[in-house]
Amino acid sequence: MKKTYKIEVDCANCANLMEETTRKTAGVADATVNFMTQKMIVEFEEGKEPKEVMKAVFKACRKVEPDCEIEF
């Protein structure tokens, strides 16, 4: 299942780092972060609960950029 989320990220480099971090998060099959549109597309592994996975994604992304926001 794929879902799109609105994010706030300050620079393209941070967006790339957040994308890499999200891909490494348990329950995520693939992820794309677009700095220009301020959107994150996450493909979840089969059987995973998106809200629970997104909590882990948000926590991981906060380590990259402490003031980032993700609407989930």
Side-chain angles (χ1 to χ4, degrees):
M1 168 189 338
K2 277 188 182 180
K3 287 193 166 220
T4 302
Y5 300 93
K6 185 176 185 323
I7 64 166
E8 285 185 28
V9 60
D10 294 334
C11 69
N13 185 50
C14 291
N16 287 336
L17 293 172
M18 288 171 64
E19 183 176 299
E20 288 176 23
T21 299
T22 300
R23 286 183 177 155
K24 294 177 184 174
T25 304
V28 175
D30 195 20
T32 305
V33 176
N34 188 313
F35 171 68
M36 296 301 290
T37 62
Q38 297 284 294
K39 292 195 191 276
M40 171 186 273
I41 301 170
V42 181
E43 184 177 348
F44 299 96
E45 291 177 354
E46 194 71 33
K48 298 293 181 180
E49 178 58 41
K51 280 197 177 205
E52 292 302 313
V53 174
M54 286 306 295
K55 286 179 187 177
V57 167
F58 181 65
K59 189 175 181 181
C61 286
R62 278 283 174 114
K63 290 179 182 174
V64 173
E65 187 174 311
D67 62 343
C68 82
E69 292 295 330
I70 304 173
E71 292 181 19
F72 61 94

